[in-house]
Amino acid sequence: FLHDSHLPQLLKVQHYTDPDVHAREIETLFLPGWHCVGVLAEMPRVGDFLTTELLGQPLIAAAAVHTLLNVCTHRFCTLTDRPRGCFGERIKCQYHGWEYDHEGNTCKIPDAQSFRPLKKGTLGLREYRTELVGELVFMTFNDEAPDVRTFLGPTIV
């Protein structure tokens, strides 16, 4: 089908299918940006959480307005497979029982005497920058990113 007002294709077929192009898009477009990972109304109490996967990373969005990597620092297993819920007082690894507070700090290590002395805070969960726009919870993988309101532009109230 040809039409006299049809614009030429600017992207080649491989731009849609090439793994290298996809990796470059992830690296330059998506990793530096801000991403909405939840709504506060879905996490009304301290300890409430939502889980999601974003750009291949399993995440926990927590009511205390934190976004944590959903991976235990002990053996790198997911902390929870539930899509939502409440951790209660602490986040507890479902496999070996390591416990973290809601900010991701290590609180309890079963059989801690078997580990050589560690500098405090070295085994906490990875936390990502998290900000609110109204009720929306946004996170970024980029520690150097501008604040979320600047990133979204001047029309955000």
Side-chain angles (χ1 to χ4, degrees):
F1 171 76
L2 292 175
H3 192 272
D4 57 356
S5 65
H6 185 266
L7 297 174
Q9 290 292 334
L10 298 178
L11 296 176
K12 297 178 179 159
V13 172
Q14 60 264 31
H15 286 112
Y16 297 99
T17 59
D18 187 304
D20 292 333
V21 172
H22 182 253
R24 234 179 10 255
E25 287 177 342
I26 296 292
E27 189 70 31
T28 58
L29 294 174
F30 298 110
L31 283 176
W34 285 89
H35 307 275
C36 185
V37 292
V39 178
L40 280 181
E42 295 180 285
M43 305 174 281
R45 301 165 303 181
V46 173
D48 286 352
F49 69 89
L50 302 171
T51 61
T52 190
E53 186 171 309
L54 182 62
L55 303 176
Q57 300 293 313
L59 302 173
I60 298 170
V65 191
H66 294 283
T67 303
L68 305 167
L69 186 63
N70 185 10
V71 174
C72 182
T73 55
H74 174 226
R75 294 286 185 186
F76 308 111
C77 63
T78 54
L79 293 164
T80 180
D81 295 327
R82 297 181 293 163
R84 64 178 339 118
C86 184
F87 284 122
E89 294 284 320
R90 294 195 176 155
I91 302 168
K92 185 174 181 179
C93 178
Q94 59 188 341
Y95 292 105
H96 297 110
W98 283 43
E99 294 182 13
Y100 306 89
D101 65 18
H102 297 287
E103 286 78 39
N105 301 307
T106 307
C107 296
K108 181 181 176 188
I109 300 174
D111 197 29
Q113 67 275 10
S114 297
F115 294 88
R116 64 186 159 115
L118 297 168
K119 183 179 172 188
K120 187 175 179 155
T122 56
L123 292 178
L125 300 177
R126 170 67 163 101
E127 182 177 1
Y128 297 100
R129 280 182 59 201
T130 306
E131 295 181 18
L132 292 175
V133 175
E135 287 279 310
L136 300 177
V137 180
F138 284 84
M139 67 75 61
T140 183
F141 294 107
N142 181 3
D143 293 331
E144 308 294 318
D147 66 89
V148 69
R149 290 177 184 278
T150 301
F151 177 81
L152 293 175
T155 59
I156 299 300
V157 179

